[in-house]
Amino acid sequence: METFQSEHASLPRNMIENSLFEEEPDVVDLAKEPPLYPLEPDEVSYEPRSSRLLVRGLGENELEDEEEDYESSARLLGMSFMNRSSNLRSNASPYSRQEPTGTCSMPSARTLVVGAFILVVIASVAMVIYFLPKCTFTKEGCHKANHSMSFIYPLNSRNELFPWTGIRLPTNVRPVHYDLLLHPSLTTMSFTGSVSIVVEVLEDTENVVLHSSKLNISKATIQVAEGAQPKMATVVEYEPWQQIAIKSPYTLKKGQKCSLTLEYNANLSSSYDGFYNSSYEDKGGVQRFLAATQFEPLAARKAFPCFDEPAFKATFLIKIRRDAEYISLSNMPKNKTVKLSDRLFEDEFEKSVTMSTYLVAFIVGNFKNISKDVNGTLVSVYTVPEKLDQVSYALDTAAHLLEFYNQFFQIKYPLKKLDLVAIPDFLAGAMENWGLITFRETTLLYDNTSSVMDKQLVTVVIAHELAHQWFGNLVTMEWWNDLWLNEGFATYMEYMSIEKTFPELEIEDDFLITRFKALARDSLNSSHPISTNVTTPEEIEEMFDSVSYEKGASILLMLNSTLTGDDFQQGVVRYLNKYKNMNTKNEDLWNSISKVTEMMNTWTLQKGFPLVTVTKKGKQVTLVQEHFQLQVDSDNSTTHSSNLWQIPLVFVNNTCSNSLACRQDFLLKNKSAMFNVADGVQWLKFNFKNEGFYIVHYGEEGWTDLIKTLQSDHLAFTYQDRANLINDIFSISRLGRTSFRQVLKLTEYLVNETEMVPVTVALSRLNYIYRLLDKRGMLPLVSRMTKRILRIFGNLMNNQTWDEEESVSKQQLRSSLLEVACQHKLDSCIKNADSLFQKWISENSTLRLPGDLMKTVFTVGAQTNDGWEKLFTAYKLSKIGAEKKKILQALASTQDIRKIVWLLQASLEDSDIQTQELPLVISTICKNFAGHLYAWDFVKENWDRILEKFPLGSFAIQSIVMTTTQQFSTNMRLFEVMTFFQSLKDKGSQLRVVQGAIETIKLNIQWMDKNLDTLNNWL
């Protein structure tokens, strides 16, 4: 899945899809309520919620609310009762020594023995009564059935025992095939369905446990043998785990195959997961409706009862009933259509390949398409009729990329057709449903008026989703803890494939910036290993993050650059061939690539990344590695962990520094190592072209030599290495290992820098400091920081043209520079932007503006009331997704508080602005001083309503939490954020992103306290 992204340059492309723990819980006293999840990331390591026992109130001999997370094992529950009984025994124990008093004599030994015997008998009888609650001293007597273990099962809302004790499904049965019939109504926004599931029995059982969420099951039958009479079965539901149990009237025997049939009905979802309704306005202003699916990770259960875990693969035969005015689509080609009445048709699709439930998909709506054949695969692009003229680029791109992947993976795409569908109302960037890939309109449709950057975005998302057809669909991770096997690989392949097939898009620069962002997010204590245990729904949702996508892709790049020849490709091919149609774990990939398991486990099984400190004395070079982790303490030193990485170091030196022939390799396996260099080597530059996932500290002398070289001849380094040096020194300064004065010395060379990546990285870092000062309201420093930024980059800003530009990197450079220039009120920028905006208005919004300048031009225009109103009118009329997005960002940049409040409310209520855009609206508002506190207050006041729209832990929630809080840098705001999220309890306090938000605020406070004097002197 391509995750939703709300930032500009946006949407780190690999996470535009918008854009994880089965550890044994500690044995604790279950009679005590566990403390609220700790919100002190700098004091304690992040602990997954699932490692805590969340069953409360057992000391009162009853389970509390059904909404509790019953994650404890039967063993621990049993232990809690044993502890309770032992406490009773100890309280009444006759064996404790009593001091004699003046009035009472010591009992005799015989009395003690008799008393102890009586107490033991009483305690034993009590325990029997306790553990056999149905056995009483009444005429009813003891039931013959054994209920001695019934206490381990949870009770549902009807006080029925649910016969399973875990969030993960049991493995006593395995689904083989589903027959699924669905009939959605786009009038009542509801649907009816029936599903027959053939299961293979792996262990004798009387219950079949599977997933179901918000489905009203009206009938359930079970059939043991083909041709046998189906028997009615009882359904017991346990809503907290979204599970149902089908209670068979007889024991299902190992080796049998039986068929479960369930009939049900439900409402179409009003959020963005499950089987949900969507709408749009056609060119005549008439509202049109459609129904679409988004099942990853946990929402297939909202459309049909199923075994909704990746490892339960099966085949599917799907039938969709629809009104005559609509078409239906699913994973497989249509087999036949049956006319049921004048207005009702039933489409039947071919039996599917073996796949996981989260990849099942179906759509009902009014769509048009264009198609072409690619080596026997029919590739089609669908959209609403009004936008059919925007699909040609996507079709050609998908065809080229499909051919590339067929050759690279050496396995032909296994389905007869591949549909790409633009959904008008879609939260994620895209979803890789096998044979039926769904997209946001902005990530699939491309209009000739859009920029080359928009074209790059569309290409990236298509490349990502097509890569999933092999990595994720053909071979699927066994459980969500290894999500990176899907997402990290798809992210890496999107960059590799585009670099090969569309070199003019210069995708390698985008990937370089992506790796810098991944390093920043992975430096926090709240980060997690790439492969990490997950259990609860919110933990699974939170796995769709920068670590799974961007870091996963980064370590694959590092591995590929380390291997020789086509070793990487051949290892990938072996992996796909060995495990096709199966599920895998992290180690299965490494075992398929020769001799890398030990090294790569150090990158996937422990969180974070290394800091390598380089010390050069004469010819001798000493290397020391440690965990790079930002800490909130007196010296902000790295964590004192014992983690070690096997680091494939690549370096150059002053004698040869800017070509591939210059690179030298060194594998650092231990804590430290030494080697010698030749005469004449004055400095070393490690992490050549930033292909490794680590940060390097050169010490004061080393940095001084590198900075002098940058100032005298910055072209001695590749532009990738210049960007790497900028990123590393800012990171090391934040860590406290070098002074911020040293950072400022390095930035002085930037007056001579003209390449996009170094400029963009430096602008981003300096602008972040500007925003910290701005949000504190430190106006004198804000003004001086603005002047410093314009002093460094002013000439480059003024040299930018305002005409069409073909080069992607030049467009990205211009877009970044002019956005900052106009933000800081550079006269030339404001004048040029306003001039273009007025021309655009005078020509009724038909003037073709360079796509990369639209956002800047519209943002300047939106600062007046008249300009804002005209932009809003244009927003409602525009049919081009890329243009609408840029207009919306401009609207959200207003300084008018009334308009800010209206935008927030309209986005939440899905009136005029789609709710899918709420994270983008919030992130844009939070960049400016005028609205950032209003956005934060809005989130606090509407948290419950926001959770109705977006799943807890989803990327949308992650974006909202981080963008509203990441620029706070005062203790008052820290206290406010901690108090709010603490009050949410299981509605947010446990989220990893909340821990990260609090860490970030503390680090901001610490950085400001340490560096304000330096800033005052520098500025």
Side-chain angles (χ1 to χ4, degrees):
M1 183 170 70
E2 188 75 37
T3 61
F4 165 82
Q5 273 281 2
S6 60
E7 290 299 316
H8 169 61
S10 149
L11 304 166
R13 313 293 196 224
N14 63 309
M15 300 238 351
I16 299 160
E17 273 178 8
N18 238 346
S19 254
L20 71 172
F21 297 107
E22 299 170 11
E23 297 174 0
E24 191 77 15
D26 297 332
V27 177
V28 296
D29 184 357
L30 299 182
K32 298 178 180 178
E33 180 167 336
L36 198 60
Y37 195 87
L39 294 177
E40 297 294 333
D42 58 314
E43 298 175 5
V44 296
S45 295
Y46 178 80
E47 182 182 5
R49 184 177 181 221
S50 59
S51 67
R52 296 178 171 270
L53 199 56
L54 300 179
V55 180
R56 299 184 292 177
L58 295 179
E60 286 73 43
N61 194 22
E62 62 182 2
L63 295 174
E64 291 214 357
D65 295 343
E66 304 166 353
E67 298 175 357
E68 291 296 335
D69 297 302
Y70 296 99
E71 297 178 18
S72 56
S73 65
R75 182 181 64 79
L76 284 175
L77 283 166
M79 187 171 292
S80 73
F81 285 101
M82 292 169 63
N83 290 342
R84 183 193 316 159
S85 300
S86 63
N87 289 339
L88 289 172
R89 287 195 299 270
S90 63
N91 290 340
S93 174
Y95 295 106
S96 55
R97 186 179 299 275
Q98 303 291 325
E99 292 298 326
T101 66
T103 58
C104 297
S105 60
M106 187 72 176
S108 67
R110 179 180 179 184
T111 303
L112 286 172
V113 171
V114 171
F117 176 77
I118 293 171
L119 286 173
V120 168
V121 170
I122 293 172
S124 299
V125 171
M127 289 179 66
V128 169
I129 295 172
Y130 184 80
F131 285 109
L132 296 174
K134 292 287 186 176
C135 188
T136 64
F137 297 107
T138 66
K139 291 182 179 180
E140 182 182 9
C142 295
H143 286 226
K144 294 182 180 179
N146 182 7
H147 296 278
S148 61
M149 293 299 290
S150 64
F151 66 84
I152 71 173
Y153 295 126
L155 291 172
N156 67 11
S157 57
R158 299 178 180 177
N159 286 324
E160 299 169 315
L161 283 174
F162 188 76
W164 180 240
T165 60
I167 293 181
R168 296 281 298 271
L169 294 180
T171 56
N172 53 3
V173 300
R174 179 181 69 87
V176 176
H177 176 75
Y178 293 78
D179 282 313
L180 178 61
L181 170 64
L182 289 160
H183 183 189
S185 169
L186 296 180
T187 303
T188 64
M189 296 303 163
S190 61
F191 67 97
T192 58
S194 67
V195 62
S196 293
I197 312 172
V198 177
V199 300
E200 179 182 355
V201 181
L202 304 179
E203 298 175 13
D204 290 1
T205 183
E206 295 179 354
N207 304 299
V208 178
V209 179
L210 62 160
H211 288 109
S212 176
S213 178
K214 300 179 181 178
L215 302 177
N216 304 311
I217 298 173
S218 56
K219 182 180 179 182
T221 62
I222 188 165
Q223 182 181 22
V224 173
E226 188 173 347
Q229 184 69 24
K231 300 289 187 181
M232 296 295 296
T234 303
V235 179
V236 180
E237 182 173 12
Y238 190 59
E239 293 181 2
W241 293 344
Q242 300 178 348
Q243 293 176 356
I244 57 172
I246 311 299
K247 293 192 169 185
S248 172
Y250 33 68
T251 300
L252 305 177
K253 297 294 185 179
K254 179 178 179 180
Q256 285 183 329
K257 282 189 178 180
C258 61
S259 179
L260 311 174
T261 301
L262 299 101
E263 297 177 4
Y264 60 97
N265 62 83
N267 291 323
L268 289 170
S269 172
S270 58
S271 61
Y272 292 97
D273 62 351
F275 195 16
Y276 73 94
N277 70 78
S278 176
S279 65
Y280 65 97
E281 286 189 2
D282 64 18
K283 60 184 178 182
V286 178
Q287 189 174 26
R288 303 290 186 181
F289 296 96
L290 62 95
T293 59
Q294 170 59 45
F295 289 163
E296 188 179 32
L298 306 172
R301 64 194 68 175
K302 296 183 178 181
F304 60 101
C306 57
F307 296 80
D308 200 11
E309 294 180 6
F312 288 114
K313 288 191 171 187
T315 56
F316 296 81
L317 194 151
I318 296 173
K319 298 178 183 178
I320 305 288
R321 290 180 179 171
R322 58 173 174 83
D323 292 344
E325 63 191 283
Y326 302 117
I327 68 167
S328 69
L329 299 170
S330 188
N331 305 85
M332 304 302 291
K334 190 185 300 182
N335 187 33
K336 63 180 179 180
T337 297
V338 177
K339 185 176 182 180
L340 302 179
S341 68
D342 287 343
R343 300 294 303 163
L344 187 63
F345 293 82
E346 181 178 286
D347 295 329
E348 180 181 313
F349 299 89
E350 294 179 7
K351 182 179 177 181
S352 77
V353 291
T354 301
M355 60 185 181
S356 303
T357 50
Y358 78 87
L359 295 170
V360 174
F362 29 87
I363 300 171
V364 176
N366 185 12
F367 290 93
K368 299 294 183 182
N369 72 287
I370 62 173
S371 306
K372 70 168 21 177
D373 182 89
V374 181
N375 297 323
T377 299
L378 184 64
V379 180
S380 304
V381 181
Y382 288 81
T383 185
V384 296
E386 293 79 8
K387 300 178 181 179
L388 191 61
D389 60 340
Q390 301 178 41
V391 302
S392 296
Y393 178 75
L395 181 62
D396 292 339
T397 299
H400 284 305
L401 288 166
L402 185 61
E403 290 176 334
F404 172 83
Y405 286 136
N406 279 334
Q407 294 174 5
F408 184 86
F409 295 133
Q410 298 176 21
I411 299 174
K412 188 178 182 296
Y413 174 75
L415 275 61
K416 297 177 184 178
K417 63 99 172 175
L418 176 61
D419 296 338
L420 295 80
V421 187
I423 307 293
D425 198 15
F426 192 74
L427 180 61
M431 176 61 209
E432 66 268 19
N433 315 301
W434 213 348
L436 184 64
I437 307 174
T438 46
F439 295 78
R440 267 196 185 201
E441 290 186 332
T442 52
T443 61
L444 186 65
L445 305 183
Y446 177 75
D447 182 82
N448 289 332
T449 63
S450 301
S451 70
V452 181
M453 293 164 59
D454 298 322
K455 179 185 286 187
Q456 186 195 66
L457 170 61
V458 170
T459 310
V460 162
V461 179
I462 293 174
H464 185 101
E465 303 308 324
L466 262 62
H468 270 312
Q469 306 304 298
W470 286 265
F471 273 91
N473 299 8
L474 185 67
V475 180
T476 312
M477 77 272 153
E478 185 173 296
W479 180 244
W480 300 105
N481 60 307
D482 282 325
L483 175 66
W484 88 276
L485 289 174
N486 285 18
E487 300 300 351
F489 236 105
T491 302
Y492 179 56
M493 289 308 303
E494 81 189 35
Y495 292 115
M496 176 191 283
S497 63
I498 294 174
E499 188 175 358
K500 300 290 186 184
T501 55
F502 299 95
E504 71 277 7
L505 293 180
E506 303 175 73
I507 197 64
E508 62 276 6
D509 291 347
D510 190 75
F511 192 16
L512 179 56
I513 293 172
T514 292
R515 299 198 295 276
F516 292 141
K517 293 178 180 178
L519 284 164
R521 291 162 183 158
D522 199 32
S523 66
L524 299 178
N525 186 37
S526 55
S527 184
H528 61 89
I530 287 178
S531 178
T532 190
N533 292 329
V534 289
T535 301
T536 65
E538 60 267 28
E539 289 168 352
I540 294 170
E541 291 280 0
E542 283 199 289
M543 282 299 281
F544 292 82
D545 66 358
S546 175
V547 173
S548 296
Y549 285 73
E550 298 168 328
K551 183 180 178 181
S554 299
I555 68 166
L556 290 171
L557 169 67
M558 180 174 65
L559 174 62
N560 194 8
S561 65
T562 302
L563 299 174
T564 58
D566 61 355
D567 286 354
F568 179 81
Q569 180 185 1
Q570 292 308 311
V572 168
V573 171
R574 280 194 296 271
Y575 171 78
L576 291 174
N577 275 295
K578 183 175 181 179
Y579 296 107
K580 61 184 176 183
N581 299 318
M582 298 169 63
N583 297 85
T584 59
K585 298 179 180 179
N586 180 68
E587 56 267 27
D588 296 325
L589 173 62
W590 303 140
N591 291 337
S592 299
I593 305 175
S594 300
K595 300 178 181 179
V596 302
T597 302
E598 183 181 357
M599 179 178 80
M600 296 312 295
N601 278 341
T602 67
W603 294 93
T604 57
L605 301 183
Q606 55 189 11
K607 74 177 178 180
F609 58 87
L611 168 68
V612 178
T613 300
V614 179
T615 306
K616 180 180 175 294
K617 291 185 178 180
K619 294 182 179 181
Q620 187 178 80
V621 178
T622 302
L623 308 172
V624 179
Q625 68 159 297
E626 57 190 308
H627 184 183
F628 186 105
Q629 182 173 295
L630 298 175
Q631 295 284 317
V632 183
D633 54 33
S634 57
D635 61 0
N636 198 18
S637 60
T638 60
T639 181
H640 302 293
S641 74
S642 59
N643 292 351
L644 292 176
W645 288 260
Q646 292 193 18
I647 314 171
L649 298 171
V650 181
F651 61 95
V652 294
N653 62 55
N654 59 286
T655 66
C656 182
S657 59
N658 57 11
S659 73
L660 284 175
C662 302
R663 58 175 284 168
Q664 301 177 60
D665 302 318
F666 186 91
L667 181 61
L668 180 60
K669 291 186 174 182
N670 301 316
K671 176 74 174 176
S672 62
M674 292 187 297
F675 64 88
N676 293 325
V677 294
D679 292 333
V681 174
Q682 298 174 0
W683 50 257
L684 299 168
K685 163 65 181 71
F686 279 77
N687 202 0
F688 181 61
K689 292 193 173 183
N690 202 79
E691 291 182 341
F693 199 75
Y694 54 92
I695 283 177
V696 183
H697 179 34
Y698 298 93
E700 291 302 310
E701 292 183 9
W703 278 114
T704 299
D705 290 338
L706 292 168
I707 291 171
K708 285 180 179 178
T709 304
L710 281 170
Q711 292 172 342
S712 62
D713 180 19
H714 68 282
L715 296 180
F717 304 101
T718 64
Y719 74 85
Q720 296 97 328
D721 281 332
R722 301 198 298 273
N724 167 260
L725 288 171
I726 294 168
N727 185 73
D728 279 7
I729 199 166
F730 270 97
S731 300
I732 292 163
S733 171
R734 194 164 173 83
L735 191 67
R737 294 296 182 89
T738 193
S739 69
F740 193 62
R741 294 179 187 276
Q742 191 82 295
V743 177
L744 300 176
K745 287 180 183 177
L746 183 145
T747 63
E748 292 174 3
Y749 105 89
L750 289 166
V751 294
N752 299 314
E753 184 61 79
T754 59
E755 289 288 342
M756 185 273 292
V757 180
V759 169
T760 301
V761 172
L763 267 178
S764 174
R765 291 289 196 164
L766 292 171
N767 222 32
Y768 186 80
I769 296 171
Y770 166 84
R771 287 198 170 111
L772 289 180
L773 298 171
D774 183 48
K775 298 308 186 293
R776 273 200 180 188
M778 306 178 75
L779 298 183
L781 270 179
V782 169
S783 176
R784 287 153 59 189
M785 186 71 186
T786 295
K787 291 178 181 178
R788 173 62 67 166
I789 291 174
L790 295 180
R791 190 180 309 162
I792 294 173
F793 299 106
N795 287 337
L796 194 57
M797 291 171 174
N798 286 323
N799 289 336
Q800 299 304 304
T801 67
W802 292 76
D803 300 320
E804 291 289 349
E805 174 60 65
E806 295 299 322
S807 165
V808 176
S809 61
K810 288 182 179 179
Q811 281 197 14
Q812 290 173 326
L813 175 65
R814 180 170 72 173
S815 176
S816 298
L817 283 168
L818 294 182
E819 182 179 340
V820 173
C822 284
Q823 170 194 336
H824 292 303
K825 304 296 189 292
L826 184 67
D827 286 344
S828 61
C829 185
I830 296 294
K831 289 178 181 177
N832 283 313
D834 186 61
S835 176
L836 280 176
F837 182 72
Q838 296 306 324
K839 289 179 182 177
W840 183 77
I841 291 296
S842 67
E843 298 188 22
N844 295 320
S845 309
T846 61
L847 176 69
R848 180 185 173 114
L849 296 174
D852 61 301
L853 298 180
M854 275 187 184
K855 180 182 173 187
T856 297
V857 171
F858 291 157
T859 298
V860 170
Q863 301 315 306
T864 67
N865 186 66
D866 183 61
W868 194 95
E869 294 294 343
K870 285 184 168 59
L871 278 167
F872 181 61
T873 299
Y875 177 80
K876 291 191 291 184
L877 295 175
S878 176
K879 298 300 180 184
I880 301 172
E883 180 183 64
K884 286 178 70 76
K885 177 184 173 184
K886 292 162 189 170
I887 295 175
L888 181 59
Q889 288 175 299
L891 294 171
S893 69
T894 179
Q895 307 298 301
D896 188 324
I897 300 303
R898 292 171 301 174
K899 290 183 173 64
I900 288 172
V901 173
W902 181 86
L903 280 168
L904 290 167
Q905 202 63 41
S907 301
L908 182 61
E909 294 175 354
D910 205 34
S911 61
D912 291 314
I913 298 169
Q914 292 174 312
T915 299
Q916 68 176 20
E917 305 294 358
L918 179 61
L920 176 64
V921 170
I922 289 174
S923 69
T924 305
I925 289 172
C926 287
K927 289 179 181 179
N928 300 309
F929 180 83
H932 77 287
L933 292 180
Y934 285 92
W936 168 235
D937 287 341
F938 173 84
V939 169
K940 290 187 295 181
E941 292 166 7
N942 293 279
W943 184 257
D944 288 341
R945 292 186 64 192
I946 291 171
L947 290 187
E948 292 174 4
K949 306 292 185 180
F950 311 118
L952 185 64
S954 65
F955 193 82
I957 294 297
Q958 294 178 51
S959 172
I960 289 170
V961 171
M962 285 306 300
T963 55
T964 52
T965 62
Q966 66 184 354
Q967 294 168 52
F968 290 157
S969 63
T970 64
N971 285 309
M972 181 182 73
R973 295 297 173 205
L974 173 64
F975 177 77
E976 185 180 332
V977 171
M978 292 179 66
T979 301
F980 170 68
F981 284 112
Q982 208 167 19
S983 71
L984 298 178
K985 299 185 179 178
D986 62 353
K987 290 186 177 180
S989 67
Q990 76 278 23
L991 295 180
R992 183 184 292 115
V993 69
V994 170
Q995 310 305 315
I998 291 167
E999 278 186 90
T1000 299
I1001 298 170
K1002 290 183 176 182
L1003 290 167
N1004 289 343
I1005 294 170
Q1006 180 171 269
W1007 190 91
M1008 294 286 278
D1009 289 346
K1010 287 184 176 181
N1011 294 291
L1012 275 179
D1013 288 343
T1014 301
L1015 281 174
N1016 268 307
N1017 294 331
W1018 179 61
L1019 300 175

